[in-house]
Amino acid sequence: MSSLHLSFYSAFVLSSLGLAFHRTHLISALLCLEGMMLSMYVALAMWPIQTQTSSPTIIPILMLAFSACEAGTGLALLVASTRTHGSDHLHNFNLLQC
Amino acid sequence: MDLYLVLNTSMLLTLATLCTPIILPLLSDNLKNTPSTITSTVKTSFLISLIPMTIYLHSGMESLTSFWEWKFIMNFKIPISLKMDFYSLTFFPIALFVSWSILQFASWYMASDPHITKFFSYLLFFLIAMLILIIANNLFVLFIGWEGVGIMSFLLISWWHGRADANTAALQAVLYNRVGDVGLILCMAWLASTLNTWEIQQISSPSQTPTLPILGLILAATAKSAQFGLHPWLPAAMEGPTPVSALLHSSTMVVAGIFLLIRTHPMYANNPTALSLCLCLGALSTLFAATCALTQNDIKKIIAFSTSSQLGLMMVTIGLNLPQLAFLHISTHAFFKAMLFLCSGSIIHSLNGEQDIRKMGGLQKMLPTTTSCLTIGNLALMGTPFLAGFYSKDAIIESLNTSYLNTWALTLTLLATSFTAVYTLRMTLLVQTGFVRIPPLVPMNENNPAVLSPITRLALGSITAGFLITSFILPTKTPPMTMPLSIKLTAIIVTALGAVLALELSKMTQALILPKQNRFSNFSTTLGYFNPLTHRFTTTNLLNMGQNIASHLIDLSWYKMLGPEGLATLQQSASKFMTTLHTGLIKAYMGSFALSILIILMSTY
């Protein structure tokens, strides 16, 4: 595949592996999620340039809007879990389960 | 000589003369208005307006002028058209004569007011708006005049705007008139959408007359002419200065509603529902106002309720399908009602602001001309034979007695006629005769020609106007010619009965003791309990409903329960259920997720 496709494909795979294998902090998972969103943005922006159609040009902007909402939700969850569990360490998350 | 041209020119010259005190000060800084210039302008207009009236009386010539069409919708014509027919040609001189007298009186009454020129220009604006209403041929120009008189009424009632009562009264006038405007706009909208016109000539409908626009017109007349239901603004409007009460709320503005019904008469002439509605509404208004006037102690309020009662009588005449007779009553009523107000103004100023008739007495010897004219006005109001009020009022009662209508309206109107005699005679006796109940040091002086000549001029009009108008005008409908003697004398008999009753009552109230309260006197004194009931009840309901809809319904239930917080509650219940089933091993879950993705990818290659 071309080097362009390689770049965002590998960025996406690396970020998703980072999301799957985060060890201690929840915030590293959120950062990897953002990285996935970034690579998807680049991919969506490249597609109308490659196929020379101008209508889908707005799609990356829409995706960005939804990604911002999602990041906000993630951060809210982070703050909520920090307030209840004291930190964002993952091994704390099943301690207060009743 | 081309009389048609003279008619149109002199009519337009009348209106142009009235506009000069407004336009000339804008053109040059040296031309300032003074009360005397405005008075002489109105006098000149009156003299010019006699020319078209004379032409009409001589040859019966009418005219319809239309100039400048407002083209803003393609197939809907809104011309500015003026109709000079019997009604407008006769009412112009009468309105201008009464206004001239009132302005001359106001130059004495408001002499100590620092903004007297502004007062006079307000009165002039009002007069121009009223004349536009009279001369209008389509409902658009009439609406311009209608709104104009409404606004000037607001500004003039609250002339002494430092007084809270005056501000409330002006607000009441505007709000009640607005309700009537809704009716007028409803009628205009219906006409524009159904008949595609606003011209009065084009709205005579043959057989099936629709009820909706007629109800709108009756609503407009109810509000503007203070019929029962939308009447409280008229007694409250007595907060304004006496010249305002004399001009607006007795002769000119309050007859605008009746005039609208007279103009659009062909529309509902064949609609018995509308005619019965007018009849019953008018009968109720005239009796209610006459009942309220029986126990009033403020001289201006008595005359205000008398106006309201006479307006009800005009509405009854409209209900009898006799618009010309209603117009005759409007014309004669203007003279004696304005004179009554001017006399009361002279009395009030002479007694240094005292308006309570229980503190007046024996003024016959102290203010001879004023009280003589007060007597003439009261006799004309009662319908004394061959004074001005007789020609219209007696004709109305005769037609009422010989028509096919319901007895209830007839009884109420006759009772109201009798009550008219009672309260006018009570007012006369308490004000003019008897012992003197005023404080000893009062600035009593009526020897100013600015006071005496308007009052005597209007007294002359009150005596002769009825005779002059009826002798020059042919009636459009045949009046009832034959009737039994008792029917013919009904008006006089009930008036005489009322007068005898008033004499009896006045003998009972010579001693200044507290009157005993019973149900009927309470009803009359509190104006029928109407004001507190409607003003509190409707506003409380409206505000409660507003609070319910705005905060309870929208804010609390839609935004909280059904909107975002409802969604949050739904999610919370789902996740609370799931928490007990969860083990929380996130790292294991994510590792298995990565492993399964890897296996799937490798299996496809």
Side-chain angles (χ1 to χ4, degrees):
Chain A
M1 65 183 70
S2 62
S3 63
L4 179 66
H5 288 191
L6 176 65
S7 64
F8 56 73
Y9 194 72
S10 59
F12 187 81
V13 169
L14 282 174
S15 298
S16 56
L17 286 179
L19 175 65
F21 295 121
H22 61 281
R23 294 202 33 161
T24 327
H25 289 277
L26 184 59
I27 195 164
S28 54
L30 294 179
L31 276 172
C32 291
L33 210 56
E34 290 306 306
M36 284 164 74
M37 290 296 126
L38 178 64
S39 63
M40 277 178 63
Y41 176 81
V42 172
L44 281 175
M46 283 299 123
W47 163 43
I49 297 176
Q50 296 260 306
T51 54
Q52 293 286 320
T53 58
S54 60
S55 306
T57 316
I58 196 154
I59 294 185
I61 304 294
L62 296 177
M63 201 220 79
L64 218 55
F66 281 109
S67 135
C69 298
E70 175 197 325
T73 316
L75 283 173
L77 280 172
L78 182 74
V79 170
S81 65
T82 310
R83 287 208 180 152
T84 51
H85 294 273
S87 66
D88 65 343
H89 287 213
L90 289 173
H91 51 174
N92 289 340
F93 278 175
N94 57 354
L95 283 184
L96 293 177
Q97 183 185 18
C98 50
Chain B
M1 187 144 111
D2 192 1
L3 281 179
Y4 189 70
L5 196 58
V6 175
L7 181 82
N8 278 332
T9 317
S10 43
M11 227 22 189
L12 290 175
L13 197 60
T14 314
L15 287 171
T17 319
L18 282 177
C19 292
T20 43
I22 303 172
I23 298 178
L24 286 184
L26 298 173
L27 295 176
S28 159
D29 245 349
N30 296 333
L31 302 166
K32 290 242 174 286
N33 285 332
T34 63
S36 55
T37 60
I38 297 183
T39 314
S40 50
T41 309
V42 175
K43 177 176 169 186
T44 320
S45 276
F46 161 66
L47 293 173
I48 299 177
S49 72
L50 286 175
I51 301 174
M53 183 180 81
T54 321
I55 295 178
Y56 174 75
L57 294 179
H58 168 71
S59 59
M61 176 188 293
E62 301 186 354
S63 158
L64 178 60
T65 312
S66 147
F67 64 95
W68 193 67
E69 188 186 314
W70 183 23
K71 296 183 175 45
F72 91 107
I73 295 183
M74 265 305 114
N75 49 3
F76 187 68
K77 287 170 74 69
I78 312 177
I80 308 292
S81 58
L82 314 176
K83 182 166 173 63
M84 298 159 211
D85 64 340
F86 160 61
Y87 297 127
S88 55
L89 288 172
T90 322
F91 198 71
F92 258 58
I94 294 175
L96 285 166
F97 181 73
V98 170
S99 308
W100 167 38
S101 308
I102 292 173
L103 285 176
Q104 200 181 355
F105 176 82
S107 65
W108 170 77
Y109 193 82
M110 310 290 289
S112 59
D113 195 306
H115 303 292
I116 187 174
T117 315
K118 191 159 83 152
F119 184 76
F120 271 65
S121 9
Y122 279 2
L123 284 178
L124 190 68
F125 261 115
F126 165 80
L127 189 59
I128 295 174
M130 186 70 203
L131 293 180
I132 289 176
L133 196 154
I134 300 290
I135 205 176
N137 186 40
N138 57 0
L139 284 179
F140 179 68
V141 181
L142 194 138
F143 190 66
I144 293 176
W146 186 274
E147 292 295 305
V149 297
I151 280 292
M152 295 325 291
S153 166
F154 170 76
L155 289 173
L156 283 168
I157 294 176
S158 62
W159 177 254
W160 291 315
H161 51 82
R163 203 177 135 81
D165 283 339
N167 287 334
T168 358
L171 208 58
Q172 242 182 323
V174 158
L175 289 176
Y176 276 111
N177 276 330
R178 244 321 163 228
V179 174
D181 289 350
V182 166
L184 185 56
I185 294 180
L186 172 69
C187 177
M188 285 169 74
W190 185 92
L191 281 175
S193 59
T194 317
L195 297 176
N196 196 30
T197 178
W198 279 335
E199 301 285 310
I200 298 192
Q201 273 80 19
Q202 300 183 22
I203 59 177
S204 61
S205 38
S207 54
Q208 306 112 323
T209 47
T211 335
L212 185 64
I214 303 174
L215 286 180
L217 285 178
I218 295 179
L219 180 67
T222 310
K224 193 66 114 183
S225 296
Q227 303 297 311
F228 182 75
L230 296 173
H231 64 278
W233 68 271
L234 190 51
M238 296 299 120
E239 293 286 333
T242 309
V244 169
S245 308
L247 186 55
L248 269 75
H249 305 121
S250 62
S251 335
T252 22
M253 183 182 117
V254 290
V255 299
I258 305 288
F259 195 80
L260 174 69
L261 286 181
I262 293 177
R263 273 275 193 235
T264 53
H265 172 74
M267 197 167 172
Y268 57 87
N270 296 325
N271 193 338
T273 318
L275 292 175
S276 313
L277 184 64
C278 285
L279 193 69
C280 298
L281 186 63
L284 186 60
S285 320
T286 176
L287 182 65
F288 181 77
T291 315
C292 292
L294 289 177
T295 53
Q296 288 296 313
N297 291 319
D298 182 356
I299 191 175
K300 280 179 73 172
K301 286 250 171 23
I302 296 181
I303 309 180
F305 279 112
S306 165
T307 309
S308 191
S309 179
Q310 295 302 308
L311 289 169
L313 190 65
M314 291 173 205
M315 189 65 123
V316 164
T317 324
I318 298 272
L320 289 174
N321 224 349
L322 298 169
Q324 206 186 13
L325 202 51
F327 180 75
L328 180 64
H329 195 52
I330 289 179
S331 315
T332 53
H333 174 259
F335 284 101
F336 53 78
K337 198 44 69 70
M339 180 173 72
L340 283 175
F341 268 113
L342 293 193
C343 291
S344 71
S346 164
I347 292 174
I348 291 170
H349 250 30
S350 294
L351 295 179
N352 198 21
E354 184 58 62
Q355 289 183 298
D356 197 334
I357 59 174
R358 298 172 292 191
K359 298 196 194 146
M360 301 176 194
L363 290 180
Q364 183 85 30
K365 298 284 184 280
M366 296 193 258
L367 296 172
T369 319
T370 308
T371 46
S372 312
C373 296
L374 192 72
T375 314
I376 294 176
N378 282 331
L379 288 175
L381 176 58
M382 285 197 284
T384 314
F386 309 118
L387 290 184
F390 170 75
Y391 289 94
S392 47
K393 214 167 160 191
D394 202 61
I396 295 173
I397 306 277
E398 272 176 24
S399 313
L400 201 60
N401 275 327
T402 52
S403 302
Y404 179 69
L405 42 66
N406 55 357
T407 323
W408 193 236
L410 179 61
T411 320
L412 292 184
T413 315
L414 288 178
L415 203 57
T417 314
S418 154
F419 280 179
T420 308
V422 177
Y423 63 70
T424 44
L425 200 59
R426 173 178 179 259
M427 179 174 85
T428 315
L429 287 175
L430 278 176
V431 167
Q432 295 175 238
T433 67
F435 292 108
V436 174
R437 295 183 293 273
I438 62 180
L441 292 176
V442 283
M444 187 165 293
N445 185 9
E446 64 164 8
N447 290 320
N448 197 332
V451 178
L452 290 184
S453 51
I455 294 182
T456 44
R457 247 194 335 256
L458 286 175
L460 204 62
S462 301
I463 300 173
T464 56
F467 174 64
L468 285 176
I469 298 179
T470 47
S471 48
F472 282 117
I473 303 297
L474 287 172
T476 46
K477 295 194 165 91
T478 42
M481 294 290 183
T482 58
M483 58 192 88
L485 186 66
S486 53
I487 301 282
K488 183 87 181 159
L489 294 178
T490 308
I492 306 226
I493 290 175
V494 294
T495 308
L497 280 175
V500 165
L501 194 65
L503 285 172
E504 274 299 316
L505 281 176
S506 74
K507 280 197 175 54
M508 283 165 45
T509 56
Q510 281 300 333
L512 288 174
I513 52 171
L514 200 62
K516 249 191 280 218
Q517 290 184 12
N518 57 0
R519 271 181 295 143
F520 303 107
S521 73
N522 279 352
F523 181 86
S524 178
T525 318
T526 56
L527 310 183
Y529 313 111
F530 188 89
N531 286 20
L533 277 179
T534 45
H535 292 175
R536 301 255 176 253
F537 192 61
T538 49
T539 49
T540 318
N541 274 2
L542 214 61
L543 290 174
N544 271 341
M545 196 168 69
Q547 190 193 27
N548 275 342
I549 292 181
S551 75
H552 294 173
L553 185 62
I554 297 181
D555 283 348
L556 295 179
S557 83
W558 281 352
Y559 289 165
K560 290 211 168 163
M561 278 185 353
L562 298 175
E565 291 197 11
L567 203 62
T569 332
L570 201 65
Q571 303 287 352
Q572 266 180 354
S573 56
S575 57
K576 276 185 198 149
F577 177 68
M578 288 298 289
T579 321
T580 51
L581 306 176
H582 225 268
T583 51
L585 301 165
I586 298 188
K587 284 204 279 193
Y589 298 156
M590 299 301 256
S592 61
F593 162 71
L595 195 62
S596 36
I597 294 289
L598 203 61
I599 293 176
I600 290 171
L601 280 178
M602 294 220 313
S603 65
T604 54
Y605 276 128

